[in-house]
Amino acid sequence: MSVLLLAEITNGALSLDQTAKAVTAVQALGDITILCAGNACSDAAAMAATLAGVSKVLCADDILYGNDLAEPVAALVVALADSFSHIVAPATASAKNILPRVSALLDVMVISDVTEVVDPETFDRPIYAGNAIQRIKSLDTQKVLTVRTAGFSAAAQTSSAPIENLAVAQDPGLSTWIEDKVQQSDRPELTSAKIVVSGGRGVGSLEHFKIIEALADKLDAAVGASRAAVDSGYAPNDWQVGQTGKVVAPELYIAAGISGAIQHLAGMKDSKIIVAINKDEDAPIFQVADYGLVADLFDVVPALTEAV
């Protein structure tokens, strides 16, 4: 068995957390080759080569792969696919755009959001907002899967795998990059942050959401939000945590004014320590919280920020 792992690369930089956790998730499947595709990604390839368990790194350094266009990266992966039994990537927005195209070109199924590799043909994934685990056995000659990395520890940087430079695959010419509009932030990225402070509908308004941000900044944390808060316009879409948002598993998750609908719990229940602040003592969030405080968040959160 051999694995081709598509590294998570943004603007030439390796997302070490996502890639290292994906390495841990698939180590039982055999030799792991990491593919780094991007513009000026040689440094990313060098970093990927340090991950324990990696046998080789392939570096496709070209502007063609520099703007997260799924079609040229999918074409590159398919060109390499014959040498591998498993094609894997972290379950990020980028990979969820690329790997379904790879699976279609290979005429095999894609298995998304894998949380456990049972054996080379069998994989577990959550369904029904995480309330059930589906076990899938694939008889395809090649397995294409995305891994939900939140539940895995990162592989150590103790290796020194060889790096091989690749020629550019043929551009299918199906898409063109126009521009990127990216919101800049000094805060940690939500899915890899060690601390997340989230606000829900109980925060009440966009203006009041600033108290959530203030606490997050004091703790050097990422800011999250429930879908209710996002739909109400209190927070941007990319802060949403939950079944239809981002899945997080930080060391500390603080939920303020979040009732705890199952869709939200699906995105954060694997957090190591969960702290819930809600004035409704019957809120479902208290069922999963390690620490719960029945209180008005407008009293507690500013006081906590001041204390920190």
Side-chain angles (χ1 to χ4, degrees), residues 1 3 21 47 50 73 122 126 133 140 147 150 159 184 190 195 207 212 216 253 255 258 262 273 307:
M1 297 289 176
V3 179
K21 288 180 177 179
M47 184 174 293
T50 66
V73 177
T122 312
I133 299 298
D140 289 330
V147 175
S159 185
Q184 299 296 327
L190 185 56
I195 303 174
E207 183 67 24
I212 303 296
Y253 187 88
I258 296 175
I262 59 172
I273 297 175

Side-chain angles (χ1 to χ4, degrees), residues 197 215 218-219 254 275 277 299-308:
V197 181
L215 177 58
K218 283 288 186 180
L219 295 172
I254 300 175
V275 176
I277 304 169
D299 296 329
V300 173
V301 174
L304 183 57
T305 303
E306 183 66 25
V308 173

Side-chain angles (χ1 to χ4, degrees), residues 166-184:
L166 293 179
V168 179
Q170 183 175 359
D171 182 5
L174 297 173
S175 58
T176 304
W177 176 80
I178 304 294
E179 65 175 330
D180 287 333
K181 293 183 178 180
V182 180
Q183 185 175 14
Q184 299 296 327

Side-chain angles (χ1 to χ4, degrees), residues 5-19:
L5 172 58
L6 180 62
E8 180 72 9
I9 293 179
T10 304
N11 296 326
L14 178 72
S15 173
L16 183 61
D17 183 73
Q18 292 283 359
T19 306

